[in-house]
Amino acid sequence: MTAFPAIEVVDIPGKGKGVIALEFIAQGTRIIAEEPTIKLSGQTREDLAHSVQTALSSPSNLEFLLSFPCKKGEDPVSGRFNHFLPCASEDDNACGLFATICRINHTCCSPLSGPNAMYTWREDLQCETLHALRDIAPMEEITVSYIACQMHTDDPPKFLRKNFDFSCSCAGCARPPDQRAHSLAQIHQYNLFMESFPISAQSRRNPTQLLEQLQHNLLAICEEGYAIELSRGAHCGFRLCAMYGDAKNAISWETLSRDCDAVIQGTDTEEYRSSERWIRDPSTYERWNIYGYSELAAPVRII
């Protein structure tokens, strides 16, 4: 049985409940793997309503839900749904409320600060896992970001007030509005680039230039505090190099992706195993050398 580091749900001044580390936690450590106390699912509104009714017919589940704060002026049940996390699966839109992970407070990703942990739903384990993004000291509060990079489409203070009904006091939110606007523009540009990357790669338009643009965008998003995007972005670099048969540089990109993924998800994922296979032999990638050989480039050192 996996031994997880000691953590505790405690009262955090000015925040309500929160979670702290009771011992040193090294970067990449899986802090907890937790099943939802309440899980809701349903492809239709009617199915979801039935799921809610069934789950909350249990007095213990209802008591657990009501132990979370409610958004002001909202229904006492639906006003607490913002605490649920996606439990992604192929056949429904499941979400879950977790006893420990859903007590973790937020810190924005920004050039000045960032969370020290990240949670991810693991469909294969049917658990939400939490990993340390950096070393966490004993008695330090564990925080995550409620704003994924792809969701970062609005000024964080406004987004958090609207969706979670609190004012964020992190260093990123304390910056002047023009600095936050600059960050928002950088993140928007990165998201647009990543959305267009598959089509750009398939168009076979100057792959060297496309790879340079990828590196530029990855540097920019890391400066904005979203270093976790290296996993996805570096895998894009691998795919591009692989499609042009450049084994050496494909390996460099996928090694970066694998190492980042190991920190945020662990080494027991299918993604990690696939990365290991491609690093050993990039020619096993299904689209290997489909465009004919061309030497591209490895990730720049600063990444």
Side-chain angles (χ1 to χ4, degrees), residues 108-113 145 147-157 172 175 179-195 216-229 232:
C108 290
C109 292
S110 79
L112 300 180
S113 65
S145 176
I147 309 176
C149 185
Q150 293 78 16
M151 292 168 55
H152 198 140
T153 57
D154 205 345
D155 190 28
R175 292 177 297 163
Q179 292 184 19
R180 299 200 308 268
H182 174 75
S183 289
L184 191 62
Q186 291 268 83
I187 295 165
H188 178 67
Q189 176 58 42
Y190 169 81
N191 285 331
L192 285 178
F193 175 81
M194 293 302 290
E195 288 173 8
H216 171 78
N217 278 275
L218 285 177
L219 287 169
I221 204 65
C222 285
E223 290 174 357
E224 295 302 331
Y226 284 104
I228 56 175
E229 284 296 308
R232 180 169 68 122

mmCIF file of all heavy atoms in Angstrom, residues 108-113 145 147-157 172 175 179-195 216-229 232:
data_model
loop_
_atom_site.group_PDB
_atom_site.id
_atom_site.type_symbol
_atom_site.label_atom_id
_atom_site.label_comp_id
_atom_site.label_asym_id
_atom_site.label_seq_id
_atom_site.Cartn_x
_atom_site.Cartn_y
_atom_site.Cartn_z
ATOM 1 N N CYS A 108 -2.909 31.829 -7.569
ATOM 2 C CA CYS A 108 -2.824 32.027 -9.014
ATOM 3 C C CYS A 108 -1.433 31.700 -9.547
ATOM 4 O O CYS A 108 -0.422 31.941 -8.876
ATOM 5 C CB CYS A 108 -3.137 33.484 -9.371
ATOM 6 S SG CYS A 108 -4.857 33.968 -9.137
ATOM 7 N N CYS A 109 -1.383 31.188 -10.752
ATOM 8 C CA CYS A 109 -0.130 31.119 -11.497
ATOM 9 C C CYS A 109 0.152 32.521 -12.034
ATOM 10 O O CYS A 109 -0.703 33.126 -12.685
ATOM 11 C CB CYS A 109 -0.249 30.143 -12.658
ATOM 12 S SG CYS A 109 -0.428 28.412 -12.182
ATOM 13 N N SER A 110 1.325 33.034 -11.743
ATOM 14 C CA SER A 110 1.692 34.372 -12.211
ATOM 15 C C SER A 110 3.207 34.474 -12.218
ATOM 16 O O SER A 110 3.900 33.586 -11.709
ATOM 17 C CB SER A 110 1.102 35.452 -11.296
ATOM 18 O OG SER A 110 1.880 35.592 -10.119
ATOM 19 N N PRO A 111 3.769 35.552 -12.771
ATOM 20 C CA PRO A 111 5.225 35.722 -12.723
ATOM 21 C C PRO A 111 5.767 35.888 -11.313
ATOM 22 O O PRO A 111 6.974 35.748 -11.101
ATOM 23 C CB PRO A 111 5.451 37.000 -13.546
ATOM 24 C CG PRO A 111 4.254 37.129 -14.421
ATOM 25 C CD PRO A 111 3.122 36.590 -13.606
ATOM 26 N N LEU A 112 4.903 36.193 -10.341
ATOM 27 C CA LEU A 112 5.361 36.487 -8.978
ATOM 28 C C LEU A 112 5.117 35.357 -7.988
ATOM 29 O O LEU A 112 5.757 35.304 -6.939
ATOM 30 C CB LEU A 112 4.687 37.762 -8.464
ATOM 31 C CG LEU A 112 4.941 39.031 -9.277
ATOM 32 C CD1 LEU A 112 4.203 40.208 -8.655
ATOM 33 C CD2 LEU A 112 6.427 39.321 -9.356
ATOM 34 N N SER A 113 4.190 34.497 -8.275
ATOM 35 C CA SER A 113 3.860 33.432 -7.326
ATOM 36 C C SER A 113 3.161 32.305 -8.069
ATOM 37 O O SER A 113 2.824 32.433 -9.251
ATOM 38 C CB SER A 113 2.954 33.962 -6.206
ATOM 39 O OG SER A 113 1.692 34.361 -6.747
ATOM 40 N N SER A 145 -3.945 25.844 -8.215
ATOM 41 C CA SER A 145 -4.591 26.915 -8.979
ATOM 42 C C SER A 145 -5.945 26.428 -9.469
ATOM 43 O O SER A 145 -6.051 25.356 -10.067
ATOM 44 C CB SER A 145 -3.730 27.323 -10.178
ATOM 45 O OG SER A 145 -4.424 28.289 -10.962
ATOM 46 N N ILE A 147 -7.460 27.982 -11.721
ATOM 47 C CA ILE A 147 -7.550 28.497 -13.089
ATOM 48 C C ILE A 147 -6.548 27.756 -13.969
ATOM 49 O O ILE A 147 -5.347 28.026 -13.929
ATOM 50 C CB ILE A 147 -7.265 30.010 -13.154
ATOM 51 C CG1 ILE A 147 -8.110 30.769 -12.127
ATOM 52 C CG2 ILE A 147 -7.526 30.544 -14.557
ATOM 53 C CD1 ILE A 147 -7.813 32.253 -12.055
ATOM 54 N N ALA A 148 -7.028 26.811 -14.763
ATOM 55 C CA ALA A 148 -6.161 26.136 -15.725
ATOM 56 C C ALA A 148 -5.766 27.123 -16.812
ATOM 57 O O ALA A 148 -6.473 28.110 -17.058
ATOM 58 C CB ALA A 148 -6.879 24.937 -16.337
ATOM 59 N N CYS A 149 -4.647 26.868 -17.448
ATOM 60 C CA CYS A 149 -4.155 27.795 -18.469
ATOM 61 C C CYS A 149 -5.220 28.062 -19.537
ATOM 62 O O CYS A 149 -5.429 29.198 -19.952
ATOM 63 C CB CYS A 149 -2.888 27.221 -19.105
ATOM 64 S SG CYS A 149 -2.092 28.333 -20.282
ATOM 65 N N GLN A 150 -5.903 27.014 -19.991
ATOM 66 C CA GLN A 150 -6.915 27.173 -21.034
ATOM 67 C C GLN A 150 -8.136 27.941 -20.540
ATOM 68 O O GLN A 150 -8.906 28.476 -21.329
ATOM 69 C CB GLN A 150 -7.349 25.798 -21.569
ATOM 70 C CG GLN A 150 -6.265 25.054 -22.322
ATOM 71 C CD GLN A 150 -5.246 24.400 -21.408
ATOM 72 O OE1 GLN A 150 -5.473 24.243 -20.203
ATOM 73 N NE2 GLN A 150 -4.114 24.006 -21.974
ATOM 74 N N MET A 151 -8.339 27.985 -19.204
ATOM 75 C CA MET A 151 -9.462 28.722 -18.615
ATOM 76 C C MET A 151 -9.106 30.169 -18.324
ATOM 77 O O MET A 151 -9.974 30.969 -17.966
ATOM 78 C CB MET A 151 -9.889 28.058 -17.298
ATOM 79 C CG MET A 151 -10.510 26.690 -17.426
ATOM 80 S SD MET A 151 -10.635 25.892 -15.803
ATOM 81 C CE MET A 151 -11.548 27.134 -14.864
ATOM 82 N N HIS A 152 -7.824 30.513 -18.479
ATOM 83 C CA HIS A 152 -7.358 31.849 -18.091
ATOM 84 C C HIS A 152 -7.713 32.850 -19.197
ATOM 85 O O HIS A 152 -6.853 33.340 -19.921
ATOM 86 C CB HIS A 152 -5.849 31.804 -17.867
ATOM 87 C CG HIS A 152 -5.329 32.953 -17.071
ATOM 88 N ND1 HIS A 152 -4.358 32.817 -16.118
ATOM 89 C CD2 HIS A 152 -5.643 34.273 -17.066
ATOM 90 C CE1 HIS A 152 -4.075 33.987 -15.591
ATOM 91 N NE2 HIS A 152 -4.845 34.893 -16.154
ATOM 92 N N THR A 153 -8.997 33.158 -19.294
ATOM 93 C CA THR A 153 -9.491 34.047 -20.352
ATOM 94 C C THR A 153 -10.030 35.364 -19.792
ATOM 95 O O THR A 153 -10.544 36.185 -20.542
ATOM 96 C CB THR A 153 -10.608 33.353 -21.152
ATOM 97 O OG1 THR A 153 -11.662 32.967 -20.256
ATOM 98 C CG2 THR A 153 -10.079 32.112 -21.861
ATOM 99 N N ASP A 154 -9.913 35.537 -18.493
ATOM 100 C CA ASP A 154 -10.399 36.755 -17.855
ATOM 101 C C ASP A 154 -9.406 37.152 -16.765
ATOM 102 O O ASP A 154 -8.573 36.348 -16.335
ATOM 103 C CB ASP A 154 -11.791 36.521 -17.243
ATOM 104 C CG ASP A 154 -12.591 37.809 -17.125
ATOM 105 O OD1 ASP A 154 -11.985 38.892 -17.244
ATOM 106 O OD2 ASP A 154 -13.807 37.724 -16.894
ATOM 107 N N ASP A 155 -9.474 38.382 -16.315
ATOM 108 C CA ASP A 155 -8.613 38.845 -15.236
ATOM 109 C C ASP A 155 -8.883 37.990 -14.000
ATOM 110 O O ASP A 155 -10.040 37.857 -13.573
ATOM 111 C CB ASP A 155 -8.915 40.316 -14.950
ATOM 112 C CG ASP A 155 -7.914 40.950 -14.002
ATOM 113 O OD1 ASP A 155 -6.756 40.502 -13.965
ATOM 114 O OD2 ASP A 155 -8.303 41.916 -13.310
ATOM 115 N N PRO A 156 -7.867 37.354 -13.388
ATOM 116 C CA PRO A 156 -8.092 36.431 -12.277
ATOM 117 C C PRO A 156 -8.961 36.965 -11.147
ATOM 118 O O PRO A 156 -9.859 36.239 -10.686
ATOM 119 C CB PRO A 156 -6.671 36.094 -11.818
ATOM 120 C CG PRO A 156 -5.859 36.184 -13.060
ATOM 121 C CD PRO A 156 -6.449 37.354 -13.811
ATOM 122 N N PRO A 157 -8.760 38.196 -10.636
ATOM 123 C CA PRO A 157 -9.644 38.657 -9.556
ATOM 124 C C PRO A 157 -11.127 38.623 -9.949
ATOM 125 O O PRO A 157 -11.981 38.232 -9.148
ATOM 126 C CB PRO A 157 -9.157 40.086 -9.295
ATOM 127 C CG PRO A 157 -7.732 40.086 -9.713
ATOM 128 C CD PRO A 157 -7.681 39.184 -10.910
ATOM 129 N N GLY A 172 0.221 37.697 -7.563
ATOM 130 C CA GLY A 172 -0.184 37.947 -8.943
ATOM 131 C C GLY A 172 -1.386 38.858 -9.038
ATOM 132 O O GLY A 172 -1.437 39.776 -9.865
ATOM 133 N N ARG A 175 -0.883 42.720 -8.367
ATOM 134 C CA ARG A 175 -0.208 43.567 -9.364
ATOM 135 C C ARG A 175 -1.169 44.623 -9.919
ATOM 136 O O ARG A 175 -2.385 44.432 -9.888
ATOM 137 C CB ARG A 175 0.310 42.713 -10.529
ATOM 138 C CG ARG A 175 1.450 41.778 -10.188
ATOM 139 C CD ARG A 175 1.829 40.943 -11.409
ATOM 140 N NE ARG A 175 0.727 40.089 -11.827
ATOM 141 C CZ ARG A 175 0.640 39.506 -13.028
ATOM 142 N NH1 ARG A 175 1.587 39.715 -13.933
ATOM 143 N NH2 ARG A 175 -0.385 38.736 -13.320
ATOM 144 N N GLN A 179 -0.407 45.339 -15.596
ATOM 145 C CA GLN A 179 0.469 44.170 -15.591
ATOM 146 C C GLN A 179 -0.343 42.887 -15.731
ATOM 147 O O GLN A 179 0.074 41.948 -16.437
ATOM 148 C CB GLN A 179 1.299 44.137 -14.313
ATOM 149 C CG GLN A 179 2.325 45.251 -14.216
ATOM 150 C CD GLN A 179 3.185 45.132 -12.979
ATOM 151 O OE1 GLN A 179 3.280 44.066 -12.361
ATOM 152 N NE2 GLN A 179 3.828 46.236 -12.592
ATOM 153 N N ARG A 180 -1.480 42.837 -15.067
ATOM 154 C CA ARG A 180 -2.346 41.660 -15.204
ATOM 155 C C ARG A 180 -2.887 41.572 -16.628
ATOM 156 O O ARG A 180 -3.021 40.477 -17.188
ATOM 157 C CB ARG A 180 -3.495 41.711 -14.197
ATOM 158 C CG ARG A 180 -3.042 41.730 -12.737
ATOM 159 C CD ARG A 180 -4.152 41.282 -11.801
ATOM 160 N NE ARG A 180 -5.396 41.997 -11.996
ATOM 161 C CZ ARG A 180 -5.751 43.107 -11.348
ATOM 162 N NH1 ARG A 180 -4.914 43.641 -10.451
ATOM 163 N NH2 ARG A 180 -6.914 43.680 -11.565
ATOM 164 N N ALA A 181 -3.184 42.699 -17.258
ATOM 165 C CA ALA A 181 -3.666 42.718 -18.641
ATOM 166 C C ALA A 181 -2.591 42.208 -19.597
ATOM 167 O O ALA A 181 -2.880 41.497 -20.562
ATOM 168 C CB ALA A 181 -4.100 44.126 -19.030
ATOM 169 N N HIS A 182 -1.341 42.568 -19.324
ATOM 170 C CA HIS A 182 -0.232 42.083 -20.147
ATOM 171 C C HIS A 182 -0.131 40.560 -20.038
ATOM 172 O O HIS A 182 0.038 39.862 -21.051
ATOM 173 C CB HIS A 182 1.075 42.730 -19.715
ATOM 174 C CG HIS A 182 2.277 42.184 -20.420
ATOM 175 N ND1 HIS A 182 2.583 42.495 -21.739
ATOM 176 C CD2 HIS A 182 3.245 41.313 -20.002
ATOM 177 C CE1 HIS A 182 3.687 41.845 -22.091
ATOM 178 N NE2 HIS A 182 4.102 41.124 -21.060
ATOM 179 N N SER A 183 -0.229 40.043 -18.824
ATOM 180 C CA SER A 183 -0.191 38.592 -18.623
ATOM 181 C C SER A 183 -1.346 37.914 -19.355
ATOM 182 O O SER A 183 -1.171 36.867 -19.995
ATOM 183 C CB SER A 183 -0.259 38.263 -17.132
ATOM 184 O OG SER A 183 0.936 38.602 -16.479
ATOM 185 N N LEU A 184 -2.527 38.504 -19.259
ATOM 186 C CA LEU A 184 -3.698 37.929 -19.905
ATOM 187 C C LEU A 184 -3.490 37.853 -21.416
ATOM 188 O O LEU A 184 -3.843 36.848 -22.054
ATOM 189 C CB LEU A 184 -4.938 38.763 -19.577
ATOM 190 C CG LEU A 184 -6.292 38.167 -19.943
ATOM 191 C CD1 LEU A 184 -6.539 36.877 -19.188
ATOM 192 C CD2 LEU A 184 -7.406 39.173 -19.629
ATOM 193 N N ALA A 185 -2.885 38.885 -22.002
ATOM 194 C CA ALA A 185 -2.617 38.893 -23.443
ATOM 195 C C ALA A 185 -1.600 37.812 -23.814
ATOM 196 O O ALA A 185 -1.748 37.134 -24.848
ATOM 197 C CB ALA A 185 -2.108 40.265 -23.870
ATOM 198 N N GLN A 186 -0.579 37.641 -22.979
ATOM 199 C CA GLN A 186 0.432 36.608 -23.218
ATOM 200 C C GLN A 186 -0.196 35.218 -23.198
ATOM 201 O O GLN A 186 0.089 34.369 -24.051
ATOM 202 C CB GLN A 186 1.514 36.684 -22.141
ATOM 203 C CG GLN A 186 2.395 37.901 -22.218
ATOM 204 C CD GLN A 186 3.643 37.649 -23.049
ATOM 205 O OE1 GLN A 186 3.609 37.739 -24.272
ATOM 206 N NE2 GLN A 186 4.725 37.321 -22.374
ATOM 207 N N ILE A 187 -1.032 34.986 -22.210
ATOM 208 C CA ILE A 187 -1.673 33.673 -22.066
ATOM 209 C C ILE A 187 -2.651 33.430 -23.210
ATOM 210 O O ILE A 187 -2.736 32.317 -23.750
ATOM 211 C CB ILE A 187 -2.371 33.582 -20.697
ATOM 212 C CG1 ILE A 187 -1.317 33.649 -19.584
ATOM 213 C CG2 ILE A 187 -3.195 32.312 -20.583
ATOM 214 C CD1 ILE A 187 -1.885 33.916 -18.209
ATOM 215 N N HIS A 188 -3.385 34.471 -23.611
ATOM 216 C CA HIS A 188 -4.310 34.345 -24.738
ATOM 217 C C HIS A 188 -3.553 33.979 -26.016
ATOM 218 O O HIS A 188 -3.983 33.093 -26.773
ATOM 219 C CB HIS A 188 -5.071 35.656 -24.924
ATOM 220 C CG HIS A 188 -6.009 35.657 -26.091
ATOM 221 N ND1 HIS A 188 -7.135 34.864 -26.146
ATOM 222 C CD2 HIS A 188 -5.973 36.351 -27.274
ATOM 223 C CE1 HIS A 188 -7.758 35.072 -27.288
ATOM 224 N NE2 HIS A 188 -7.074 35.959 -27.987
ATOM 225 N N GLN A 189 -2.430 34.615 -26.249
ATOM 226 C CA GLN A 189 -1.628 34.323 -27.424
ATOM 227 C C GLN A 189 -1.122 32.885 -27.392
ATOM 228 O O GLN A 189 -1.129 32.181 -28.410
ATOM 229 C CB GLN A 189 -0.432 35.287 -27.497
ATOM 230 C CG GLN A 189 0.542 35.007 -28.632
ATOM 231 C CD GLN A 189 -0.121 35.037 -30.000
ATOM 232 O OE1 GLN A 189 -0.952 35.916 -30.261
ATOM 233 N NE2 GLN A 189 0.217 34.088 -30.862
ATOM 234 N N TYR A 190 -0.686 32.439 -26.233
ATOM 235 C CA TYR A 190 -0.214 31.056 -26.096
ATOM 236 C C TYR A 190 -1.331 30.066 -26.398
ATOM 237 O O TYR A 190 -1.138 29.100 -27.145
ATOM 238 C CB TYR A 190 0.325 30.823 -24.680
ATOM 239 C CG TYR A 190 0.592 29.376 -24.385
ATOM 240 C CD1 TYR A 190 1.762 28.763 -24.818
ATOM 241 C CD2 TYR A 190 -0.333 28.611 -23.679
ATOM 242 C CE1 TYR A 190 2.008 27.423 -24.555
ATOM 243 C CE2 TYR A 190 -0.099 27.270 -23.413
ATOM 244 C CZ TYR A 190 1.073 26.686 -23.852
ATOM 245 O OH TYR A 190 1.293 25.345 -23.600
ATOM 246 N N ASN A 191 -2.509 30.290 -25.822
ATOM 247 C CA ASN A 191 -3.627 29.371 -26.045
ATOM 248 C C ASN A 191 -4.025 29.326 -27.516
ATOM 249 O O ASN A 191 -4.327 28.247 -28.055
ATOM 250 C CB ASN A 191 -4.814 29.767 -25.178
ATOM 251 C CG ASN A 191 -4.614 29.393 -23.722
ATOM 252 O OD1 ASN A 191 -3.922 28.435 -23.396
ATOM 253 N ND2 ASN A 191 -5.222 30.161 -22.817
ATOM 254 N N LEU A 192 -4.038 30.481 -28.182
ATOM 255 C CA LEU A 192 -4.356 30.502 -29.609
ATOM 256 C C LEU A 192 -3.328 29.703 -30.408
ATOM 257 O O LEU A 192 -3.672 28.939 -31.314
ATOM 258 C CB LEU A 192 -4.398 31.948 -30.122
ATOM 259 C CG LEU A 192 -5.612 32.787 -29.747
ATOM 260 C CD1 LEU A 192 -5.450 34.204 -30.296
ATOM 261 C CD2 LEU A 192 -6.893 32.157 -30.297
ATOM 262 N N PHE A 193 -2.062 29.879 -30.063
ATOM 263 C CA PHE A 193 -1.005 29.160 -30.772
ATOM 264 C C PHE A 193 -1.155 27.655 -30.583
ATOM 265 O O PHE A 193 -1.056 26.886 -31.552
ATOM 266 C CB PHE A 193 0.369 29.615 -30.291
ATOM 267 C CG PHE A 193 1.495 28.822 -30.900
ATOM 268 C CD1 PHE A 193 1.956 29.106 -32.177
ATOM 269 C CD2 PHE A 193 2.081 27.781 -30.192
ATOM 270 C CE1 PHE A 193 2.976 28.357 -32.751
ATOM 271 C CE2 PHE A 193 3.100 27.026 -30.751
ATOM 272 C CZ PHE A 193 3.544 27.318 -32.035
ATOM 273 N N MET A 194 -1.391 27.224 -29.362
ATOM 274 C CA MET A 194 -1.496 25.788 -29.102
ATOM 275 C C MET A 194 -2.726 25.183 -29.771
ATOM 276 O O MET A 194 -2.689 24.033 -30.220
ATOM 277 C CB MET A 194 -1.520 25.532 -27.597
ATOM 278 C CG MET A 194 -0.208 25.864 -26.895
ATOM 279 S SD MET A 194 1.219 24.938 -27.551
ATOM 280 C CE MET A 194 0.821 23.293 -26.969
ATOM 281 N N GLU A 195 -3.804 25.937 -29.854
ATOM 282 C CA GLU A 195 -5.000 25.450 -30.543
ATOM 283 C C GLU A 195 -4.728 25.243 -32.026
ATOM 284 O O GLU A 195 -5.255 24.312 -32.649
ATOM 285 C CB GLU A 195 -6.151 26.438 -30.361
ATOM 286 C CG GLU A 195 -6.746 26.469 -28.964
ATOM 287 C CD GLU A 195 -7.764 27.585 -28.806
ATOM 288 O OE1 GLU A 195 -8.110 28.227 -29.833
ATOM 289 O OE2 GLU A 195 -8.200 27.827 -27.659
ATOM 290 N N HIS A 216 9.240 29.908 -28.431
ATOM 291 C CA HIS A 216 8.931 31.268 -27.974
ATOM 292 C C HIS A 216 7.692 31.261 -27.079
ATOM 293 O O HIS A 216 7.678 31.900 -26.015
ATOM 294 C CB HIS A 216 8.704 32.185 -29.181
ATOM 295 C CG HIS A 216 8.167 33.533 -28.816
ATOM 296 N ND1 HIS A 216 8.954 34.552 -28.303
ATOM 297 C CD2 HIS A 216 6.895 34.040 -28.879
ATOM 298 C CE1 HIS A 216 8.203 35.603 -28.065
ATOM 299 N NE2 HIS A 216 6.952 35.319 -28.404
ATOM 300 N N ASN A 217 6.659 30.549 -27.484
ATOM 301 C CA ASN A 217 5.421 30.519 -26.710
ATOM 302 C C ASN A 217 5.587 29.771 -25.396
ATOM 303 O O ASN A 217 4.992 30.147 -24.382
ATOM 304 C CB ASN A 217 4.297 29.905 -27.541
ATOM 305 C CG ASN A 217 3.649 30.896 -28.481
ATOM 306 O OD1 ASN A 217 2.748 31.636 -28.092
ATOM 307 N ND2 ASN A 217 4.110 30.935 -29.726
ATOM 308 N N LEU A 218 6.403 28.721 -25.385
ATOM 309 C CA LEU A 218 6.640 27.993 -24.139
ATOM 310 C C LEU A 218 7.419 28.850 -23.142
ATOM 311 O O LEU A 218 7.137 28.833 -21.936
ATOM 312 C CB LEU A 218 7.381 26.684 -24.420
ATOM 313 C CG LEU A 218 6.535 25.572 -25.030
ATOM 314 C CD1 LEU A 218 7.398 24.344 -25.336
ATOM 315 C CD2 LEU A 218 5.389 25.180 -24.107
ATOM 316 N N LEU A 219 8.394 29.589 -23.637
ATOM 317 C CA LEU A 219 9.123 30.496 -22.754
ATOM 318 C C LEU A 219 8.172 31.536 -22.157
ATOM 319 O O LEU A 219 8.244 31.852 -20.966
ATOM 320 C CB LEU A 219 10.245 31.185 -23.527
ATOM 321 C CG LEU A 219 11.452 30.313 -23.873
ATOM 322 C CD1 LEU A 219 12.355 31.043 -24.854
ATOM 323 C CD2 LEU A 219 12.215 29.937 -22.630
ATOM 324 N N ALA A 220 7.293 32.059 -22.994
ATOM 325 C CA ALA A 220 6.363 33.098 -22.531
ATOM 326 C C ALA A 220 5.404 32.544 -21.486
ATOM 327 O O ALA A 220 5.143 33.208 -20.460
ATOM 328 C CB ALA A 220 5.588 33.667 -23.716
ATOM 329 N N ILE A 221 4.885 31.341 -21.695
ATOM 330 C CA ILE A 221 3.905 30.804 -20.749
ATOM 331 C C ILE A 221 4.584 30.393 -19.443
ATOM 332 O O ILE A 221 3.992 30.486 -18.366
ATOM 333 C CB ILE A 221 3.111 29.632 -21.366
ATOM 334 C CG1 ILE A 221 1.756 29.476 -20.655
ATOM 335 C CG2 ILE A 221 3.887 28.326 -21.327
ATOM 336 C CD1 ILE A 221 0.822 30.636 -20.827
ATOM 337 N N CYS A 222 5.842 29.975 -19.517
ATOM 338 C CA CYS A 222 6.584 29.675 -18.284
ATOM 339 C C CYS A 222 6.809 30.950 -17.477
ATOM 340 O O CYS A 222 6.714 30.946 -16.241
ATOM 341 C CB CYS A 222 7.922 29.018 -18.613
ATOM 342 S SG CYS A 222 7.786 27.289 -19.124
ATOM 343 N N GLU A 223 7.087 32.048 -18.154
ATOM 344 C CA GLU A 223 7.251 33.328 -17.468
ATOM 345 C C GLU A 223 5.964 33.755 -16.766
ATOM 346 O O GLU A 223 6.000 34.483 -15.769
ATOM 347 C CB GLU A 223 7.691 34.403 -18.464
ATOM 348 C CG GLU A 223 9.120 34.230 -18.968
ATOM 349 C CD GLU A 223 9.473 35.225 -20.057
ATOM 350 O OE1 GLU A 223 8.583 36.018 -20.450
ATOM 351 O OE2 GLU A 223 10.627 35.216 -20.520
ATOM 352 N N GLU A 224 4.843 33.307 -17.282
ATOM 353 C CA GLU A 224 3.554 33.635 -16.662
ATOM 354 C C GLU A 224 3.184 32.658 -15.549
ATOM 355 O O GLU A 224 2.081 32.724 -15.000
ATOM 356 C CB GLU A 224 2.440 33.661 -17.722
ATOM 357 C CG GLU A 224 2.594 34.754 -18.751
ATOM 358 C CD GLU A 224 2.648 36.148 -18.138
ATOM 359 O OE1 GLU A 224 2.048 36.343 -17.065
ATOM 360 O OE2 GLU A 224 3.294 37.035 -18.723
ATOM 361 N N GLY A 225 4.072 31.741 -15.211
ATOM 362 C CA GLY A 225 3.843 30.846 -14.080
ATOM 363 C C GLY A 225 3.251 29.503 -14.426
ATOM 364 O O GLY A 225 3.017 28.683 -13.530
ATOM 365 N N TYR A 226 3.022 29.243 -15.709
ATOM 366 C CA TYR A 226 2.415 27.976 -16.115
ATOM 367 C C TYR A 226 3.476 27.009 -16.652
ATOM 368 O O TYR A 226 3.369 26.507 -17.781
ATOM 369 C CB TYR A 226 1.342 28.212 -17.184
ATOM 370 C CG TYR A 226 0.054 28.779 -16.650
ATOM 371 C CD1 TYR A 226 -0.257 30.126 -16.825
ATOM 372 C CD2 TYR A 226 -0.858 27.979 -15.973
ATOM 373 C CE1 TYR A 226 -1.443 30.658 -16.341
ATOM 374 C CE2 TYR A 226 -2.046 28.497 -15.493
ATOM 375 C CZ TYR A 226 -2.342 29.834 -15.679
ATOM 376 O OH TYR A 226 -3.517 30.351 -15.200
ATOM 377 N N ALA A 227 4.485 26.707 -15.834
ATOM 378 C CA ALA A 227 5.538 25.784 -16.258
ATOM 379 C C ALA A 227 4.992 24.386 -16.518
ATOM 380 O O ALA A 227 5.602 23.606 -17.265
ATOM 381 C CB ALA A 227 6.644 25.726 -15.210
ATOM 382 N N ILE A 228 3.836 24.057 -15.931
ATOM 383 C CA ILE A 228 3.240 22.747 -16.173
ATOM 384 C C ILE A 228 2.870 22.555 -17.640
ATOM 385 O O ILE A 228 2.692 21.422 -18.098
ATOM 386 C CB ILE A 228 1.989 22.526 -15.295
ATOM 387 C CG1 ILE A 228 0.967 23.642 -15.513
ATOM 388 C CG2 ILE A 228 2.371 22.421 -13.833
ATOM 389 C CD1 ILE A 228 -0.342 23.432 -14.774
ATOM 390 N N GLU A 229 2.740 23.655 -18.400
ATOM 391 C CA GLU A 229 2.421 23.553 -19.823
ATOM 392 C C GLU A 229 3.571 22.943 -20.620
ATOM 393 O O GLU A 229 3.397 22.577 -21.783
ATOM 394 C CB GLU A 229 2.075 24.929 -20.388
ATOM 395 C CG GLU A 229 0.696 25.422 -19.999
ATOM 396 C CD GLU A 229 -0.410 24.539 -20.580
ATOM 397 O OE1 GLU A 229 -0.401 24.291 -21.801
ATOM 398 O OE2 GLU A 229 -1.259 24.097 -19.791
ATOM 399 N N ARG A 232 2.683 19.390 -22.150
ATOM 400 C CA ARG A 232 1.912 19.398 -23.398
ATOM 401 C C ARG A 232 2.710 20.012 -24.538
ATOM 402 O O ARG A 232 2.765 19.472 -25.648
ATOM 403 C CB ARG A 232 0.607 20.179 -23.192
ATOM 404 C CG ARG A 232 -0.272 20.244 -24.436
ATOM 405 C CD ARG A 232 -1.641 20.791 -24.111
ATOM 406 N NE ARG A 232 -1.646 22.185 -23.737
ATOM 407 C CZ ARG A 232 -2.352 23.123 -24.382
ATOM 408 N NH1 ARG A 232 -3.070 22.791 -25.457
ATOM 409 N NH2 ARG A 232 -2.348 24.366 -23.978
#
